[in-house]
Amino acid sequence: MEFHCPIDGKALSANEATLRCPDGHSFDRAKEGYYNLLLVQQKASLDPGDNKEMVEARRRFLAAGYFAPIAEKLAEFSQRLTAGMRSPRILDAGCGEGYYLGRVQAAIPGADLAGIDISKWAVKAAAKSHKKIAWAVASSKQLPFAKNSQDLILCLFGFPFWESFRSALADGGHLLLVDPAPEHLWELRELIYDKVNSTDLSKIDGAFAAGFSVVGEETLTFSITLESNGAIQDLLAMTPHGYRITAEARERLGGVQRLTTRVSVAFRLLRRG
Ligand SMILES: C[S@@+](CC[C@H](N)C(=O)[O-])C[C@H]1O[C@@H](n2cnc3c(N)ncnc32)[C@H](O)[C@@H]1O
Ligand SMILES: [Zn+2]
């Protein structure tokens, strides 16, 4: 997939280990194979996005296969949406360490795939494990791609930027959102909070304002059993509960060695009008 210059939006071409735009802006390839296209002024902090520990926790947890049904459903959706296209262009915006896009690659070998994330730790891990996908450190707020260049954008447990997604999608292109459904990780939350409330699905009013319409919605629910405290801690580190948990609840959770919990996620399919 072709990246575009984050400074002026012009196409970047590869010359050995460097990407250059016609105006001379250049970006070196990191040894793991990804590019850093995040400009200093796009960084709200020195180390934006998920930090190294969060990335490591998620990598271990996902590699253990606990969320494999989510990856399966994602692959099915992606296949269905791009059926008949010779080389569908698929972007994972906020790709983390590439677990889900790797599954999409296996399901659609001819696809032209790219993943971006604002966390260099996530992108580094992604580039190490999937060599044939184009990876870059970049923000979903300002995607380093041409306008109308994507057939499908994936946004899992992430941060959607509607205008930016709309602009990067081709006419009639799709955006697939995967977000926690109201009962996601219910039993984990019971261990953390005195009272667990069913949480609202994230609002997508901004998507309608940007000209998207919802063309499909499905909830996937299944149970997982975590067999060690390490796995429980890894799952906690992947969720916002990792920030919210009190010291007391953290201590309580430290003694739990086995947990069966519901996983419930909503797949919302949007179409660019
Ligand atoms: C909860 S994680 C989900 C990662 C991955 N999609 C998954 O489901 O395994 C959210 C990700 O969004 C990234 N992120 C946060 N702000 C971002 C932005 N503005 N642009 C791109 N990625 C961003 C974080 O670094 C993190 O990797
Ligand atoms: Zn440039």
PDB file of all heavy atoms in Angstrom, residues 23 91 100 155 175 214 250 265:
ATOM      1  N   ASP A  23       8.554  16.727  -2.809  1.00  0.00           N
ATOM      2  CA  ASP A  23       9.102  17.944  -2.203  1.00  0.00           C
ATOM      3  C   ASP A  23      10.295  17.683  -1.291  1.00  0.00           C
ATOM      4  O   ASP A  23      10.770  18.605  -0.608  1.00  0.00           O
ATOM      5  CB  ASP A  23       8.008  18.661  -1.397  1.00  0.00           C
ATOM      6  CG  ASP A  23       6.990  19.310  -2.326  1.00  0.00           C
ATOM      7  OD1 ASP A  23       7.233  19.296  -3.548  1.00  0.00           O
ATOM      8  OD2 ASP A  23       5.965  19.797  -1.828  1.00  0.00           O
ATOM      9  N   LEU A  91      -7.392  -1.082   5.453  1.00  0.00           N
ATOM     10  CA  LEU A  91      -6.575  -0.377   6.438  1.00  0.00           C
ATOM     11  C   LEU A  91      -7.083  -0.667   7.844  1.00  0.00           C
ATOM     12  O   LEU A  91      -8.286  -0.548   8.101  1.00  0.00           O
ATOM     13  CB  LEU A  91      -6.655   1.139   6.172  1.00  0.00           C
ATOM     14  CG  LEU A  91      -6.177   2.056   7.301  1.00  0.00           C
ATOM     15  CD1 LEU A  91      -4.677   1.911   7.517  1.00  0.00           C
ATOM     16  CD2 LEU A  91      -6.527   3.512   6.980  1.00  0.00           C
ATOM     17  N   TYR A 100      -5.213  -8.734  14.562  1.00  0.00           N
ATOM     18  CA  TYR A 100      -6.430  -8.858  13.744  1.00  0.00           C
ATOM     19  C   TYR A 100      -6.130  -8.738  12.257  1.00  0.00           C
ATOM     20  O   TYR A 100      -6.667  -9.479  11.440  1.00  0.00           O
ATOM     21  CB  TYR A 100      -7.471  -7.817  14.177  1.00  0.00           C
ATOM     22  CG  TYR A 100      -7.984  -8.065  15.571  1.00  0.00           C
ATOM     23  CD1 TYR A 100      -7.574  -7.282  16.640  1.00  0.00           C
ATOM     24  CD2 TYR A 100      -8.856  -9.122  15.817  1.00  0.00           C
ATOM     25  CE1 TYR A 100      -8.038  -7.533  17.927  1.00  0.00           C
ATOM     26  CE2 TYR A 100      -9.318  -9.385  17.108  1.00  0.00           C
ATOM     27  CZ  TYR A 100      -8.906  -8.583  18.151  1.00  0.00           C
ATOM     28  OH  TYR A 100      -9.352  -8.846  19.423  1.00  0.00           O
ATOM     29  N   CYS A 155     -11.670  -0.617  12.508  1.00  0.00           N
ATOM     30  CA  CYS A 155     -11.345   0.140  13.721  1.00  0.00           C
ATOM     31  C   CYS A 155     -11.829  -0.686  14.913  1.00  0.00           C
ATOM     32  O   CYS A 155     -13.020  -0.714  15.210  1.00  0.00           O
ATOM     33  CB  CYS A 155     -11.999   1.523  13.669  1.00  0.00           C
ATOM     34  SG  CYS A 155     -11.559   2.574  15.066  1.00  0.00           S
ATOM     35  N   LEU A 175     -16.652   0.995   6.575  1.00  0.00           N
ATOM     36  CA  LEU A 175     -15.929   1.141   7.838  1.00  0.00           C
ATOM     37  C   LEU A 175     -16.522   0.112   8.794  1.00  0.00           C
ATOM     38  O   LEU A 175     -17.739   0.092   8.998  1.00  0.00           O
ATOM     39  CB  LEU A 175     -16.146   2.564   8.375  1.00  0.00           C
ATOM     40  CG  LEU A 175     -15.703   2.849   9.811  1.00  0.00           C
ATOM     41  CD1 LEU A 175     -14.196   2.634   9.977  1.00  0.00           C
ATOM     42  CD2 LEU A 175     -16.047   4.298  10.188  1.00  0.00           C
ATOM     43  N   VAL A 214     -25.333   3.295   8.695  1.00  0.00           N
ATOM     44  CA  VAL A 214     -25.127   1.951   9.235  1.00  0.00           C
ATOM     45  C   VAL A 214     -25.794   0.952   8.297  1.00  0.00           C
ATOM     46  O   VAL A 214     -26.967   1.097   7.974  1.00  0.00           O
ATOM     47  CB  VAL A 214     -25.739   1.825  10.651  1.00  0.00           C
ATOM     48  CG1 VAL A 214     -25.651   0.394  11.157  1.00  0.00           C
ATOM     49  CG2 VAL A 214     -25.020   2.764  11.621  1.00  0.00           C
ATOM     50  N   ARG A 250      -7.449  -4.178  43.122  1.00  0.00           N
ATOM     51  CA  ARG A 250      -6.248  -4.743  42.478  1.00  0.00           C
ATOM     52  C   ARG A 250      -5.662  -5.860  43.349  1.00  0.00           C
ATOM     53  O   ARG A 250      -5.248  -6.908  42.854  1.00  0.00           O
ATOM     54  CB  ARG A 250      -5.214  -3.640  42.218  1.00  0.00           C
ATOM     55  CG  ARG A 250      -4.059  -4.107  41.353  1.00  0.00           C
ATOM     56  CD  ARG A 250      -3.101  -2.973  41.023  1.00  0.00           C
ATOM     57  NE  ARG A 250      -3.582  -2.069  39.983  1.00  0.00           N
ATOM     58  CZ  ARG A 250      -3.561  -2.345  38.677  1.00  0.00           C
ATOM     59  NH1 ARG A 250      -3.118  -3.501  38.250  1.00  0.00           N
ATOM     60  NH2 ARG A 250      -4.007  -1.472  37.805  1.00  0.00           N
ATOM     61  N   VAL A 265     -18.962  -8.362  21.997  1.00  0.00           N
ATOM     62  CA  VAL A 265     -18.549  -7.221  21.177  1.00  0.00           C
ATOM     63  C   VAL A 265     -19.541  -6.970  20.046  1.00  0.00           C
ATOM     64  O   VAL A 265     -20.152  -7.889  19.510  1.00  0.00           O
ATOM     65  CB  VAL A 265     -17.133  -7.406  20.584  1.00  0.00           C
ATOM     66  CG1 VAL A 265     -16.075  -7.374  21.666  1.00  0.00           C
ATOM     67  CG2 VAL A 265     -17.013  -8.669  19.778  1.00  0.00           C
TER      68      VAL A 265
END
